[in-house]
Amino acid sequence: MSSDKGQWLSALAFFFASQNREMRWLLIVLLLLHSAIAHAQEQRQRVGLVLSGGGARGLSHVGVLKVLEQQRIPIDAIAGTSMGAIVGGLYASGMSADELDKAFRAIEWETVFARRVDRQHLSQRRKEEDFEISPVIELGVHEGELRTPVAAASSRGLETLLRRYTLPVRGVREFDQLPIPFRAVATDLETGAAVVLERGDLALALRSSMSVPGVFPPTEMDGHILGDGGLVNNVPVDVARAMGVDVLIVVNIGTPLAGREALRSAVGITAQMINILTEQNVQRSLAQLGERDLLITPPLGSFSSSDFERGRQAIDIGEQGARALIDQLQSYSVSEERYAQWRTEHPKRRLPEATIGYVAFEGTTLTNPARFAAQLESQPGKRFDVDRAERDARTLAASGDYLRADYQLVSHEGSDGLVFDLEDKPWGPNYLRIGLDLSTDFDGRGSFTLKLSHNRHWLTPAGTEWRNRLQIGAVPLVFTELYHPLNWTIGLSNDWFVAGYAGADRMRGTLYGADGNELARYVRSTARAGVDLGQPWGRFGELRIGLSAQQVRARPTLIAAGLTTSASTVNEAEVGLRVAAVIDQLDFANFPTRGYRAIGEVAIGEGRGNGRFQRLDASAMAVTTVGSHTFGLYGLARGASSQQSSGIGRFELGGFHQLSGYRDGQLIGNYVLLGRASWYMRLPYTPAVGRAFFVGATAEAGNAWISQQELRDGSLRTGMSLFFGADTGFGPLYLALTHAPRGQTGVVLFLGRP
């Protein structure tokens, strides 16, 4: 500006000094022309940025943004779809390319897309269900209709990330008021029309644009049920053009069509159909580009839309693709001074500072989340803290009742409030799970058990639950429990509960001689009932104390000729006091990689048929992972006093992982000890329905004794196994080679918990 002023002063001096009229007019024309050129330079061309959808491929947008910043290209408007909407929306909110790069490289995507909250954070009731039946397949009954989940993955982790990163612009409701005007594209799943999101909750808008059908559940905004925008407008050129820009920089990272080899399954054909529909709208959008627009197509090759674990590589590929067009990009560049001015117009983001005036819950019609209000870390009068708010949202999600558990920091009438936005699972509140136990030793012995569970949540506003379980097959079982929170606060603890339960089971077993030959077969029936007063230990476990009654009847059904070992009928009834405790911090119920779990139960009382009785049942395990190798230790101790003399004891030992190399239940007694050391390693493959494949091995030692005298004098037996395993939707699956020095060498196929 100072040089322009000097030029004007010099021109004026020359004007008055000149005596030539033509020269004076020529000077005026030149000055006006100079001014027009300078004004045109001031009015630089407005640049719009279009970022397409493409799942994990969309992380390459971050690399493109890094190059745009390095080339000093100011962006005046952004339109994005799906992952392009997420990257573009966060950039429009004020995050720099380097901040996006750092954030996305640090994300553990497996956790973000997990089906539910990390297991360590679940309540003990939810954890217990994992050991009964695999949690992978969950059905529900709603209003008398059998329903299935609406998505394969949970969006909770993604929503948490988006909420955290958009907090600095929480007060912005019109996206034109963001540091960079922004639009996101979604699909109205009822009409099939494109929906351009230009106002409202930015985090929810970004999440709505990336509602991949069948992967993430749809969202609802302004009365629309929204799905992924890529279905109708994956490269929203028209949307960006309508924002009043002069030129467009378009980044297309859509997934290319698969080859013939991918069309050999229903899943592959379905994915190809979606890609075909998407590619058609992509080509229509690209046909709208003009000569002044620039198209960037990062060389992603076979990079999949689900390859989030390769996210860092995608960012690097995006940067590589943009650098290949440096010459064309330079035409959009501005001077350092002009770019610095543009940056100052986008102030640095700051997290909100607020004091929570109130805590509220919205969105749910089936539950009463206010019951958990006293257990949340965020309380009225406290300063808002994003980490606390996220932990509270996770606590609510851990109940297993919600499709979404989000939060918003809102301002109303001069007060800041923390509002938890909850969406009920459309297949609740009656939840069904199906499990299967199957085993064979490939020598004519096998068993089969079908397991069904039903859990009715929120029978009362206090959170009463009714749990039922049914087994059909080798081990028939029925069980029911009514669980009622008391909402007591005693000392430093709260949320005490009372639970009443009843159940019965029956199993068939075989008595074996020392040489492994069958001596007799028997049936044991057990019935139990009781009532407990208990207290949850937060996410660590729970304690119960109560009265219990148990009836045990065991009778031989077939006895070998000449059998001298006693195998008489056992009939015992017990009534007494029961104390049980559990601590569970395993990350997975099957094939855990870290954590620990300990269970203990002690019962004492009077019994019919065996006088005064004592019963102990305790087990503990600890798991750790070093690199790709997981190591675990497990111990089991069981004991039950009995006044009746019989060869049919209370407990069995033997079978895969229960002393491998011995037959199922081959060792029987009233006292049992078992120790197991295990190693396994996750393989780089994923089953179609399940978590992972593994290879591993175990070394085991233990035994069973009828009397305390045998326990004191007895010795331990050993066994071992080498296995291939998979964590499937029906439970853990093993194919194993087993061996015991005093038992057998064999091969077993086992589906279920050993």
Side-chain angles (χ1 to χ4, degrees), residues 118-122 127 539-540 584-587 594:
D118 287 347
R119 188 175 180 277
Q120 297 97 320
H121 300 294
L122 297 177
K127 291 176 183 176
R539 61 187 180 89
F540 289 98
D584 189 343
Q585 279 293 281
L586 295 176
D587 58 349
R594 64 182 185 278

Side-chain angles (χ1 to χ4, degrees), residues 68-388:
L68 297 184
E69 287 192 351
Q70 293 163 6
Q71 294 301 309
R72 303 187 307 277
I73 300 176
I75 302 300
D76 299 285
I78 301 176
T81 297
S82 195
M83 196 64 188
I86 289 178
V87 175
L90 295 180
Y91 191 69
S93 74
M95 291 186 75
S96 68
D98 286 339
E99 288 173 332
L100 284 170
D101 180 81
K102 182 178 179 181
F104 282 116
R105 288 181 187 271
I107 292 174
E108 296 181 3
W109 291 102
E110 185 176 353
T111 302
V112 170
F113 297 134
R115 291 182 57 256
R116 61 176 184 175
V117 173
D118 287 347
R119 188 175 180 277
Q120 297 97 320
H121 300 294
L122 297 177
S123 67
Q124 188 54 41
R125 291 190 64 75
R126 302 288 88 85
K127 291 176 183 176
E128 287 174 7
E129 295 171 356
D130 290 356
F131 281 90
E132 295 173 357
I133 298 177
S134 171
V136 174
I137 300 176
E138 180 184 77
L139 307 175
V141 177
H142 184 85
E143 297 179 349
E145 178 185 356
L146 181 65
R147 296 187 180 182
T148 60
V150 297
S154 169
S155 61
R156 185 196 61 82
L158 180 60
E159 289 161 359
T160 298
L161 284 175
L162 296 177
R163 182 63 60 195
R164 171 182 282 263
Y165 293 140
T166 58
L167 273 174
V169 292
R170 68 184 179 94
V172 177
R173 310 305 294 177
E174 299 288 337
F175 297 165
D176 278 340
Q177 297 175 7
L178 291 169
I180 303 175
F182 171 72
R183 301 288 186 270
V185 178
T187 301
D188 188 321
L189 294 181
E190 293 181 292
T191 66
V195 178
V196 179
L197 304 174
E198 55 185 340
R199 62 177 59 88
D201 178 5
L202 178 60
L204 183 57
L206 302 183
R207 160 68 182 85
S208 299
S209 184
M210 193 174 169
S211 296
V212 182
V215 178
F216 294 129
T219 63
E220 183 172 354
M221 286 186 68
D222 301 327
H224 298 282
I225 304 299
L226 300 180
D228 194 281
L231 297 173
V232 291
N233 195 353
N234 201 47
V235 186
V237 169
D238 56 334
V239 177
R241 191 89 72 189
M243 297 174 74
V245 297
D246 301 311
V247 293
L248 295 177
I249 297 176
V250 179
V251 187
N252 179 28
I253 47 83
T255 304
L257 298 181
R260 177 173 296 187
E261 65 279 358
L263 306 179
R264 298 173 180 172
S265 67
V267 173
I269 293 175
T270 302
Q272 183 79 331
M273 290 173 62
I274 294 175
N275 288 339
I276 290 173
L277 294 174
T278 302
E279 186 62 22
Q280 289 176 349
N281 74 65
V282 167
Q283 294 305 317
R284 287 195 297 269
S285 294
L286 296 182
Q288 302 174 30
L289 296 181
E291 294 181 357
R292 299 170 61 196
D293 302 323
L294 177 64
L295 175 63
I296 300 176
T297 307
L300 291 162
S302 61
F303 201 101
S304 167
S305 61
S306 61
D307 284 340
F308 282 94
E309 70 280 0
R310 299 170 58 196
R312 298 183 179 186
Q313 181 182 349
I315 294 174
D316 295 336
I317 293 175
E319 188 171 357
Q320 172 189 345
R323 288 193 182 282
L325 299 174
I326 285 291
D327 292 340
Q328 293 94 317
L329 286 171
Q330 287 178 348
S331 64
Y332 305 99
S333 297
V334 297
S335 65
E336 292 185 4
E337 294 80 5
R338 187 70 55 78
Y339 193 70
Q341 179 183 352
W342 179 81
R343 295 298 294 264
T344 59
E345 295 170 357
H346 302 76
K348 189 171 180 59
R349 297 156 39 99
R350 288 190 177 90
L351 287 175
E353 295 183 2
T355 298
I356 300 174
Y358 62 92
V359 176
F361 306 89
E362 296 180 351
T364 176
T365 59
L366 299 177
T367 72
N368 176 32
R371 186 181 84 79
F372 303 111
Q375 302 173 33
L376 302 182
E377 296 183 46
S378 302
Q379 295 292 328
K382 285 187 175 182
R383 299 290 294 176
F384 170 77
D385 180 85
V386 62
D387 294 323
R388 281 200 295 258

Side-chain angles (χ1 to χ4, degrees), residues 423-481:
E423 182 180 353
D424 298 321
K425 286 182 176 178
W427 61 94
N430 289 280
Y431 298 102
L432 305 175
R433 290 185 181 181
I434 302 175
L436 189 66
D437 284 353
L438 174 68
S439 67
T440 178
D441 61 2
F442 298 97
D443 195 27
R445 296 181 181 86
S447 66
F448 172 89
T449 301
L450 177 65
K451 301 185 290 187
L452 306 171
S453 77
H454 163 258
N455 202 337
R456 171 58 161 95
H457 293 188
W458 297 99
L459 282 168
T460 69
T464 305
E465 293 186 12
W466 184 29
R467 177 187 294 176
N468 301 285
R469 186 177 171 193
L470 173 67
Q471 287 186 185
I472 303 171
V475 184
L477 175 148
V478 292
F479 177 82
T480 186
E481 180 192 53

